[in-house]
Amino acid sequence: MTTTMRTTATKPPPAKRIPMTSLRKTALVAGVFYLITFISIPTLALYGPVKNHRDWILTSGSHTGILVGGFLEVIVALAGIGTAVTLYPVVKRQNEGVALGFVTARVLEGAMIFTGVVSLLSLLTLRQDLGGTAGANTAALVTTAASHVAVYKWTFLLSQTLMPGINALLLGSLLYRSRLVPRVIPVMGLIGGPLLIVAVFATLLGQHSSVGGLAALPVIPVAAWEFSLGVWLVVKGFRPSPITAEMTAASAPLAYQDVAV
């Protein structure tokens, strides 16, 4: 008798994908929101014709740059609020009062950004309705346009320059103490935040004529802190800490119930 033996390769069962935990989702969403806040950088160029030419309202031509810039800043305002709302359930376990202050600061920042955008969009409406008007109205239009631009510049100083410094102190202190991310990341914010605040108040008190000079230097570490935080949260998530352990333990019974059902 001839026995034919066939060897069949046994394929290992496909590896099951590890589900993303709620903490990982929170870190990912917050990181994405932080990275989105950088999309407003092109507005520095898009708003150039409006901010640098006093007679822009009297000219004719495309105003797409103003609309695009306003749209980008609206997204930035909403994303900024999103960072605080997303991180609040986690960082409040370190200090609820400071965490609530961070949310409030982000909402205030977003409100001021909206105010600046409305100012420029109102200027755009004036240009469309009254631009090119000659005669006695010309001087009035230029003056009105200058006031709208001034409103935008001051709201930009308070919203996108002062508030990031305050946010860096609030969130940076929470993350430094909780060790949810490497400490070198919040340290950048804790160093740059006070410098940025001092630079803004120096501008307010007339010690410097524009944000582009003195206040521009502390912007670098604050921007580096926010960007590195966004990248870390997207790529790595929260580091193991007493806070993450507590949240994982609190959600474990719920996860067990879901599996049992």
Side-chain angles (χ1 to χ4, degrees):
M1 177 182 293
T2 303
T3 303
T4 304
M5 300 181 65
R6 297 180 180 178
T7 303
T8 58
T10 304
K11 295 182 179 180
K16 294 183 178 180
R17 186 176 180 182
I18 301 175
M20 184 178 293
T21 64
S22 60
L23 271 174
R24 185 67 186 95
K25 291 178 182 178
T26 299
L28 178 61
V29 172
V32 170
F33 276 139
Y34 260 108
L35 296 180
I36 289 177
T37 59
F38 285 86
I39 67 171
S40 66
I41 293 178
T43 59
L44 298 175
L46 293 173
Y47 291 161
V50 182
K51 296 190 296 182
N52 300 328
H53 301 283
R54 291 177 56 87
D55 59 346
W56 178 82
I57 193 173
L58 302 177
T59 63
S60 60
S62 176
H63 50 260
T64 305
I66 305 299
L67 295 176
V68 173
F71 177 71
L72 293 179
E73 289 201 286
V74 167
I75 294 178
V76 168
L78 296 177
I81 296 173
T83 61
V85 173
T86 305
L87 289 175
Y88 176 75
V90 180
V91 296
K92 74 174 183 179
R93 295 175 180 268
Q94 178 65 37
N95 189 309
E96 187 172 2
V98 177
L100 184 60
F102 174 58
V103 175
T104 304
R106 275 302 204 186
V107 172
L108 180 59
E109 176 185 354
M112 288 191 289
I113 291 176
F114 270 86
T115 301
V117 172
V118 169
S119 178
L120 289 187
L121 293 181
S122 299
L123 177 58
L124 178 59
T125 301
L126 287 175
R127 187 194 189 211
Q128 292 174 325
D129 295 343
L130 303 174
T133 304
N137 291 331
T138 300
L141 284 175
V142 172
T143 301
T144 302
S147 66
H148 280 267
V149 173
V151 169
Y152 175 79
K153 288 183 176 180
W154 283 112
T155 55
F156 181 89
L157 179 69
L158 296 177
S159 62
Q160 301 189 63
T161 310
L162 174 63
M163 297 310 297
I166 295 175
N167 294 331
L169 290 178
L170 294 173
L171 183 60
S173 63
L174 292 171
L175 295 181
Y176 183 85
R177 295 174 182 174
S178 63
R179 298 178 181 268
L180 289 169
V181 298
R183 280 188 161 181
V184 66
I185 296 178
V187 162
M188 288 187 290
L190 293 174
I191 292 175
L195 295 176
L196 189 58
I197 294 172
V198 170
V200 170
F201 277 100
T203 303
L204 290 172
L205 297 175
Q207 298 302 313
H208 203 272
S209 59
S210 68
V211 182
L214 182 63
L217 296 178
V219 165
I220 297 175
V222 172
W225 128 260
E226 292 190 348
F227 184 78
S228 59
L229 176 61
V231 171
W232 180 272
L233 292 178
V234 168
V235 177
K236 296 291 187 178
F238 297 118
R239 299 180 70 181
S241 67
I243 289 179
T244 58
E246 179 184 351
M247 296 185 69
T248 302
S251 61
L254 296 178
Y256 177 78
Q257 292 174 8
D258 293 339
V259 173
V261 172

